[in-house]
Amino acid sequence: MEKVDIPKKAIYRLSIYHRCLQRLHDNAQETVSSTALAKAAGVKPAQLRKDLAYFGQFGTRGLGYPVETLASMIRDVLGRERLQPVVLVGAGNLGSALLHYQGFQKEGFEVICAFDADPEAAVRRGVAIPVKSDKEIDVFVQQEGVKLAILCVPAGFAQAVANRLVAAGIQGILNFSPVVLEVPEEVVVNNVDLALELEHLSFFVR
């Protein structure tokens, strides 16, 4: 499929639509209406139709969208037709927990290697994938052509590690370190601050 210029926020929603479509496919549902898919994704039908318009005219009035075809088109746009390799840096308690998560491959990603200052400690935590010394990050990323990284290092090391990842060719970072990273404009960083999210939630709990 030809490369489509889609806004970042719409890309995020496409990922949600894809997850909803996967559940429908698992339940053997062949078609879905824009109203039903929008409700499952937590958006308004008009927003969903606008997002799907990036694919051109699609869907049949009265019948809805073919589930498998739409899912395949979204996978193509998101680059999920094959498993995307990912590296994880910082295989401590949080990093090791993420490495035990079984859902990455289902969503189209494969963590192929982890890096840590103490690889043996990560191995003792039962990490199954290869864990290498953090000194090997640069060479491995370049040789394997990896574009995505998960960052779980302490705040004091995060920027230096991010600089190395970007210099090696990483274009997207999922950042679990509690610090705002400075990266070139062409590099995308998504921050996951668990403490901040809990703080937001606590506001609504009385």
Side-chain angles (χ1 to χ4, degrees), residues 35-203:
T35 300
L37 184 55
K39 182 177 181 180
V43 302
K44 295 181 178 180
Q47 181 65 70
L48 178 132
R49 288 191 290 268
K50 180 179 179 181
D51 291 337
L52 297 186
Y54 289 108
F55 301 108
Q57 295 298 320
F58 189 65
T60 304
R61 183 178 295 275
L63 295 177
Y65 300 100
V67 169
E68 179 52 36
T69 302
L70 181 55
S72 178
M73 293 177 73
I74 293 177
R75 281 196 300 273
D76 190 30
V77 167
L78 297 179
R80 294 185 184 173
E81 288 299 339
R82 60 180 180 82
L83 289 176
Q84 291 196 57
V86 183
V87 295
L88 181 143
V89 185
N93 291 328
L94 176 58
S96 295
L98 291 172
L99 292 172
H100 284 92
Y101 176 58
Q102 300 297 314
F104 286 127
Q105 287 202 6
K106 184 176 180 181
E107 297 301 327
F109 304 97
E110 181 182 15
V111 182
I112 61 173
C113 190
F115 299 90
D116 196 86
D118 186 0
E120 292 303 319
V123 173
R124 289 194 295 270
R125 294 187 182 95
V127 173
I129 70 168
V131 184
K132 300 178 179 292
S133 167
D134 55 2
K135 295 180 176 63
E136 301 181 56
I137 292 173
D138 316 73
V139 172
F140 184 91
V141 169
Q142 290 174 348
Q143 287 183 343
E144 299 298 324
V146 183
K147 302 301 181 185
L148 298 174
I150 301 172
L151 191 59
C152 299
V153 301
F157 299 95
Q159 185 62 58
V161 174
N163 292 345
R164 291 177 60 193
L165 289 169
V166 172
I170 291 294
Q171 298 175 4
I173 299 174
L174 182 60
N175 177 35
F176 283 88
S177 301
V179 62
V180 177
L181 300 174
E182 296 183 6
V183 298
E185 185 176 344
E186 65 271 15
V187 177
V188 177
V189 176
N190 282 357
N191 296 298
V192 182
D193 190 326
L194 301 179
L196 183 61
E197 295 302 326
L198 283 173
E199 182 179 293
H200 287 170
L201 284 176
S202 70
F203 176 80

Side-chain angles (χ1 to χ4, degrees), residues 13-53:
R13 290 191 296 270
L14 286 176
S15 295
I16 297 176
Y17 303 154
H18 182 265
R19 181 165 293 184
C20 295
L21 288 164
Q22 189 59 53
R23 287 199 296 265
L24 292 172
H25 179 266
D26 291 344
N27 290 324
Q29 186 166 331
E30 296 182 357
T31 60
V32 61
S33 68
S34 59
T35 300
L37 184 55
K39 182 177 181 180
V43 302
K44 295 181 178 180
Q47 181 65 70
L48 178 132
R49 288 191 290 268
K50 180 179 179 181
D51 291 337
L52 297 186

